[in-house]
Amino acid sequence: MSANKNIISTLGSHTLLTTLALSACTAFADDAAITCDKAETKCSQEAIELIEVHGIRTSIYNVKKSGDIRRVADLVDTPQTITVLTKDQIQESGKSDLKEVLAAQAGVTLGTGENGNAFGDRYIIRGHEARSDVFVDGIRDPGMTTRESFATDQIEITKGPSSTFAGRGSSGGAVNSITKKASTAYDFGRVDASIGTDKHHRLVIDYNTPIAENIATRVNLLSTAEDAPNRDNIERSRKGALLSGLYDNVDDLRVYADFYYLEAKDTPDLGSYFNKETRKPEKNIPVYAQNNDFLDSEIFAYTLRTEYDINENLKFYNATRYGETTNGYVATGANKSVRADSDPMAPGAATIKLSNHQGWQDVEYFATQFNLFWQLSTGNLDHTLLFGLEFSDEKVNNGFYNLSYNKAPNCVTSGWRGDSAGFCLVDGNGNLYPNMASIMGTEYSKGNSDSLFSAKTIAAYVMDTVKINDHWQLFFGLRQDTIDYSNNVVSRGNALDYSYKDDFYNGHLGLVYSIHDDANIYVTYSTATNINGGESDLGANCGYGGLCGDPEQAAMADPETVENIEIGTKWSVLDEKLFVSLAWFQLTKRDVMESVGDAYSTLGTLNTGKNRVEGVEFAVNGNLTDKLSMQISAAMMSSEVLASVNEDIIGYELSNFAGDSLYTQLRYQLTENFAFGGDFTYKGKMYGGQPDSAASYDATNGYYSIVVPSYKVVNLFANYSVSDSTTLRLNIGNVTDTEYWTAAYRSGAFMYLGDARSAKFTLTYEF
């Protein structure tokens, strides 16, 4: 432990190391140029210099390797587009929830849930659903829930199908969060305390300490709350903990044990709505959430990881996790309407009608993954083989709340079901009612389950990274999944029992040609598979990825299949300080399940659709100079429906798809003590509609029905180091106070609002 103190002190004014940088001491030990003596818990001076990173005290914008132990090649030699966001980048951006972080990235958009499904984060990667393709340390994190980054070391966004690693799903890609872990290599603590506008306050504690020669513990704690910027009473609250332990016998065995907990309590805001007369989102919508609206999530997860070096060529790795999440929401929506002729106050007057959206979800899951790594040579070929077995058992119980109101309706509106008494936000003259938060007097009680999802999966996979010679490298992967699926659904009063068993296979083949040591070109082919009913939150709602067909039809359905062809180049330049990549891809999805009938039908047609997304992605991250760090990613994509049971939509663009997007984060170290920077997000316009299908189109008028306008958002930050142990940071979010919308429901009934301008001041103390 004293050796750690000496290392830290020798770095002097250059050592405000983050935990990620300290972790790099052992993480970089695989690099031949760096040595790390774990027995003495110290690293070589060369490793220290790498950790120091050109004098920028707390920032690493570039990493060499994935945090997923199964990805054995360096990122520059991996034949696939993978965006890695470091802890430093995330913290300096001022973003904390995973949804905020991903929404800014190129090639990723957000979606809304069916019927205003407010719980959980919904991501769309390369135009395809990824809400069930979220992983933590390589293990699927099932269900819909809120996810925070306080215990995250880095976030990895894999672009393109990757079912060899992920199993079912991952049509457009997957998201993998790498958690912080205990280490015997250092004794280090950090406190981040923030205050800001909109009642913002946040406290994060991160402390790692060896408690014996071979044992270490790490504690991460979180407490934060705020109002949504410029949306008073739209509250967000998080409390969390990650408790991690490590046993490391130095020679061959490492055992990690983690406990993760997060409690999230929000007031949900369904934002604005699409005005079909002006064909624009309604601006300056007031806060209309009712007093009893809530969005709550609670997460428990226990993880045990074991690494055992059998010999110099064989390594065993197991990760086992048990988790539970409980989620629930009651949310109020607002949409333009007209008072009916039977309305006693103002017949025929325009109004804003309030609606309710609600649901609960309980998730229980168990997963264990066994991996055997084998390094061997056959002739002139050097192999790194991976043999894996995985078992998972997921249970997702979805239900509803019983709602009642202690206020009398204040309007009668017309709708497709006829006239109905309800609640309006404005009176007959178009003026807002006073005490908007208590117009409805909503009360609720937990109701029955209407969908019990169960999926037991056994998977086997083999992967091989082959060094053919100094110029050629081959990656090969093949995976089989056997799934035992059931879903007990109550649909429109009918109890339906869906169940089937299926086997599906996926592969990945990539070839890399090294132009020289730090530059290559590659070509890759990969596949993915989606099962019928693979989205666990929807029961028999075909339109959002739920089950299609009746129980007999669903069992006969073929899985949806996706294939991806990608050609790219990757460069590690400026003495490996800057990483540059460029890729062209074509992603084709076949056998798509499609909903039929009206837009809200739960029926479907099996394996009738086909669509395609193709485009170019460009990325730069790392250090351009000794003072300038950057992360830049851009995507220029197009989408098209190629086949459908409805021939009229062939040629249409996919819904919830931004063809052009750009994210840039820059950091400049002006002086030894002062750094500043910011990030810029651009998202092209999107069109609303059902996931994985054509955007809603008005054939009569010749335009897409629901439009999410393009937007640009600028955020700024500045860091000042008061001393070796204390740093101050100022974040200003949405500097221009732009009003923008991130996603639209398929009918336009609500459109999620992006955050307005905010300011946060953070004090970081390290010890």
Side-chain angles (χ1 to χ4, degrees):
M1 191 179 301
S2 60
N4 290 319
K5 298 294 187 181
N6 291 335
I7 291 172
I8 293 175
S9 63
T10 58
L11 293 177
S13 62
H14 294 288
T15 7
L16 279 181
L17 300 178
T18 62
T19 307
L20 177 62
L22 284 164
S23 298
C25 193
T26 51
F28 291 147
D30 291 335
D31 192 311
I34 299 168
T35 59
C36 219
D37 188 342
K38 291 166 44 174
E40 298 182 16
T41 63
K42 65 181 181 180
C43 292
S44 70
Q45 183 62 35
E46 189 172 359
I48 293 170
E49 290 171 358
L50 181 59
I51 294 169
E52 221 180 329
V53 188
H54 64 67
I56 293 182
R57 297 193 179 195
T58 59
S59 291
I60 294 176
Y61 274 47
N62 187 13
V63 295
K64 287 187 175 183
K65 297 186 73 69
S66 166
D68 187 338
I69 194 172
R70 297 172 300 171
R71 295 189 180 273
V72 298
D74 288 349
L75 290 171
V76 72
D77 294 321
T78 299
Q80 190 169 16
T81 299
I82 301 178
T83 300
V84 178
L85 309 175
T86 69
K87 178 173 64 67
D88 299 327
Q89 292 172 257
I90 297 167
Q91 289 175 336
E92 290 187 334
S93 73
K95 303 173 179 67
S96 53
D97 277 7
L98 183 61
K99 180 171 66 175
E100 294 179 289
V101 176
L102 294 181
Q105 300 302 310
V108 182
T109 54
L110 297 183
T112 65
E114 164 58 8
N115 191 33
N117 182 342
F119 58 68
D121 306 332
R122 183 174 159 221
Y123 319 112
I124 298 165
I125 302 176
R126 286 187 175 175
H128 290 87
E129 279 289 330
R131 71 180 183 272
S132 294
D133 301 322
V134 180
F135 295 77
V136 177
D137 294 319
I139 296 178
R140 188 183 301 273
D141 188 29
M144 302 283 287
T145 194
T146 300
R147 298 176 174 97
E148 235 275 351
S149 63
F150 79 98
T152 300
D153 253 345
Q154 64 189 44
I155 296 171
E156 302 179 1
I157 308 169
T158 302
K159 304 292 184 63
S162 55
S163 284
T164 307
F165 290 90
R168 76 174 192 270
S170 72
S171 296
V175 178
N176 188 23
S177 293
I178 307 301
T179 56
K180 299 174 181 177
K181 298 176 179 63
S183 175
T184 58
Y186 54 86
D187 189 345
F188 180 79
R190 171 170 172 160
V191 177
D192 292 271
S194 306
I195 58 173
T197 57
D198 308 293
K199 303 178 185 177
H200 171 82
H201 60 274
R202 181 179 176 90
L203 178 65
V204 179
I205 298 172
D206 183 358
Y207 181 56
N208 182 94
T209 183
I211 58 176
E213 181 180 1
N214 299 325
I215 299 174
T217 61
R218 186 168 183 173
V219 177
N220 288 267
L221 302 174
L222 165 72
S223 177
T224 183
E226 64 180 6
D227 284 353
N230 201 33
R231 304 285 288 172
D232 290 347
N233 300 318
I234 299 298
E235 299 172 346
R236 306 164 179 166
S237 174
R238 311 277 185 271
K239 293 181 180 179
L242 174 66
L243 309 179
S244 177
L246 166 66
Y247 170 77
D248 184 351
N249 74 353
V250 178
D251 294 326
D252 52 23
L253 178 65
R254 293 161 298 283
V255 180
Y256 297 88
D258 298 340
F259 167 72
Y260 177 82
Y261 172 78
L262 180 70
E263 177 190 73
K265 292 183 176 293
D266 293 0
T267 302
D269 184 8
L270 296 188
S272 186
Y273 56 86
F274 189 76
N275 188 324
K276 295 183 179 180
E277 294 179 1
T278 64
R279 300 203 65 244
K280 295 179 180 179
E282 194 70 22
K283 292 187 175 182
N284 302 314
I285 194 78
V287 176
Y288 52 82
Q290 299 298 288
N291 287 329
N292 281 345
D293 285 4
F294 71 94
L295 167 58
D296 293 348
S297 295
E298 191 171 30
I299 306 165
F300 297 87
Y302 306 86
T303 306
L304 183 68
R305 303 176 187 86
T306 302
E307 299 177 20
Y308 180 64
D309 301 327
I310 300 171
N311 56 44
E312 62 181 10
N313 295 320
L314 287 173
K315 179 178 179 178
F316 170 81
Y317 172 71
N318 170 256
T320 300
R321 179 175 299 142
Y322 173 82
E324 296 180 13
T325 70
T326 57
N327 311 278
Y329 72 98
V330 171
T332 301
N335 197 11
K336 185 177 181 180
S337 187
V338 176
R339 289 178 181 255
D341 291 339
S342 58
D343 181 82
M345 181 178 295
T351 190
I352 299 175
K353 183 180 179 180
L354 300 179
S355 58
N356 281 121
H357 310 270
Q358 49 79 22
W360 57 262
Q361 181 188 85
D362 296 337
V363 181
E364 181 181 10
Y365 65 99
F366 171 82
T368 186
Q369 186 184 99
F370 299 90
N371 297 280
L372 180 66
F373 300 85
W374 184 18
Q375 291 186 329
L376 78 157
S377 297
T378 56
N380 295 323
L381 304 180
D382 294 328
H383 300 261
T384 302
L385 280 160
L386 168 60
F387 301 94
L389 289 173
E390 183 175 312
F391 171 77
S392 64
D393 185 1
E394 306 167 31
K395 295 182 177 65
V396 183
N397 194 11
N398 300 283
F400 58 89
Y401 290 96
N402 300 308
L403 301 183
S404 60
Y405 311 97
N406 60 28
K407 297 292 182 70
N410 61 11
C411 64
V412 178
T413 58
S414 299
W416 64 283
R417 292 182 178 177
D419 293 355
S420 61
F423 299 92
C424 290
L425 192 62
V426 297
D427 61 23
N429 297 317
N431 299 315
L432 292 169
Y433 279 112
N435 303 317
M436 288 184 291
S438 57
I439 289 175
M440 304 175 80
T442 309
E443 296 181 345
Y444 63 88
S445 61
K446 190 171 182 178
N448 295 328
S449 167
D450 57 12
S451 171
L452 180 57
F453 170 102
S454 175
K456 295 180 180 179
T457 306
I458 299 175
Y461 50 88
V462 59
M463 305 180 202
D464 191 8
T465 300
V466 187
K467 183 178 179 181
I468 300 172
N469 54 41
D470 290 340
H471 290 286
W472 292 97
Q473 180 174 290
L474 176 72
F475 173 78
F476 168 80
L478 183 65
R479 177 174 176 133
Q480 177 194 7
D481 288 78
T482 299
I483 187 166
D484 187 349
Y485 177 95
S486 68
N487 207 335
N488 299 315
V489 175
V490 178
S491 178
R492 299 186 178 185
N494 298 315
L496 303 173
D497 185 6
Y498 292 82
S499 61
Y500 63 84
K501 294 182 179 180
D502 203 357
D503 297 313
F504 51 91
Y505 302 85
N506 288 285
H508 193 158
L509 182 65
L511 185 64
V512 180
Y513 175 74
S514 297
I515 302 170
H516 54 76
D517 288 345
D518 298 319
N520 62 55
I521 57 176
Y522 68 89
V523 59
T524 193
Y525 173 85
S526 59
T527 67
T529 302
N530 300 309
I531 62 172
N532 189 357
E535 301 297 346
S536 62
D537 57 315
L538 291 163
N541 191 320
C542 175
Y544 264 72
L547 287 155
C548 284
D550 60 32
E552 184 177 350
Q553 292 170 327
M556 294 187 297
D558 293 328
E560 298 176 333
T561 58
V562 190
E563 64 177 10
N564 182 61
I565 301 171
E566 182 171 314
I567 301 172
T569 182
K570 295 184 178 183
W571 295 67
S572 184
V573 298
L574 302 179
D575 198 22
E576 299 187 350
K577 292 180 179 179
L578 190 70
F579 177 80
V580 182
S581 66
L582 176 66
W584 169 87
F585 68 91
Q586 183 183 86
L587 188 157
T588 305
K589 187 171 186 178
R590 295 179 172 85
D591 297 320
V592 177
M593 311 290 179
E594 299 184 279
S595 61
V596 296
D598 62 75
Y600 295 89
S601 174
T602 59
L603 298 177
T605 179
L606 307 178
N607 306 128
T608 54
K610 179 181 179 182
N611 58 55
R612 175 169 291 163
V613 175
E614 61 182 346
V616 176
E617 290 205 33
F618 171 75
V620 180
N621 60 285
N623 309 317
L624 183 63
T625 70
D626 288 344
K627 295 181 178 295
L628 180 61
S629 300
M630 62 176 57
Q631 183 220 338
I632 302 173
S633 58
M636 293 164 284
M637 305 182 292
S638 63
S639 66
E640 183 181 5
V641 175
L642 300 179
S644 173
V645 67
N646 178 8
E647 293 183 356
D648 292 340
I649 69 171
I650 294 175
Y652 287 2
E653 184 172 328
L654 291 177
S655 63
N656 310 302
F657 175 84
D660 299 328
S661 54
L662 170 69
Y663 180 73
T664 300
Q665 185 170 339
L666 302 176
R667 186 184 196 280
Y668 189 76
Q669 188 78 27
L670 183 64
T671 70
E672 183 179 351
N673 295 319
F674 179 71
F676 67 94
D679 62 84
F680 170 79
T681 298
Y682 169 77
K683 289 291 171 71
K685 64 181 177 182
M686 300 188 297
Y687 304 118
Q690 295 182 173
D692 278 353
S693 63
S696 299
Y697 193 79
D698 186 333
T700 302
N701 294 300
Y703 51 66
Y704 288 103
S705 305
I706 310 298
V707 181
V708 181
S710 63
Y711 65 86
K712 303 171 184 176
V713 178
V714 177
N715 307 302
L716 298 176
F717 69 87
N719 294 346
Y720 180 71
S721 298
V722 178
S723 67
D724 289 351
S725 60
T726 306
T727 300
L728 306 177
R729 185 176 74 247
L730 174 66
N731 286 91
I732 302 177
N734 193 355
V735 173
T736 59
D737 203 22
T738 299
E739 185 175 17
Y740 66 101
W741 300 267
T742 61
Y745 184 52
R746 60 183 175 184
S747 68
F750 46 85
M751 299 184 70
Y752 290 165
L753 281 165
D755 277 354
R757 182 164 50 215
S758 64
K760 301 173 184 177
F761 179 78
T762 303
L763 183 149
T764 298
Y765 176 71
E766 295 172 303
F767 56 94

